[in-house]
Amino acid sequence: MTDYHEPPEELDARARDFHRALTSLKEEIEAVDWYAQRVARATSPELRHVLDHNRREEIEHACMTLEWLRREDPEWDSALRTYLNQKGEIVALESHDADEAPKPDDSGKGLGIGSLRGVTQ
Ligand SMILES: [Fe+2]
């Protein structure tokens, strides 16, 4: 319990679960990197195969944790829907985020923005 930046006892159960998930996500991503480096340097083909298998499993673990975050938090859900599985320039997707979504009284201004998502260039 060393990664807390606030007293854990002052965080509610949801905040502590998010801390668990985010910490796990960091650990899984670190493991992917560590295995990738070991795969790149291992001299034994069999060891390289084992380590690469483990690297792939860590990617799955990271994605499972990311999916939990998406299901539990609308902001993760929104950001992942914005940036994942899109085509074109990644940074250009930023201008289409939820903060700039048209307001109900917007009289239709900007309503076409969402339809531009995923348009191939
Ligand atoms: Fe893992």
Side-chain angles (χ1 to χ4, degrees), residues 80-114:
L80 291 169
R81 288 178 191 277
T82 298
Y83 293 105
L84 295 185
N85 300 309
Q86 303 295 332
K87 297 192 183 327
E89 188 181 338
I90 295 170
V91 175
L93 298 168
E94 186 175 26
S95 62
H96 305 298
D97 70 11
D99 290 341
E100 296 180 7
K103 304 288 185 286
D105 61 345
D106 224 8
S107 307
K109 286 191 288 187
L111 288 176
I113 290 173

Side-chain angles (χ1 to χ4, degrees), residues 1 8-9 20-21 23 27 31 35-36 38-39 46 50 62-63 82 99 108-109 118:
M1 304 288 181
E9 65 277 6
R20 290 179 181 107
T23 299
E27 291 167 350
Y35 277 121
R38 291 169 187 157
V39 168
E46 184 69 23
V50 169
C63 289
T82 298
D99 290 341
K109 286 191 288 187

Side-chain angles (χ1 to χ4, degrees), residues 28 57-58 61:
E28 301 297 355
E57 288 200 346
E58 300 301 353
H61 299 166

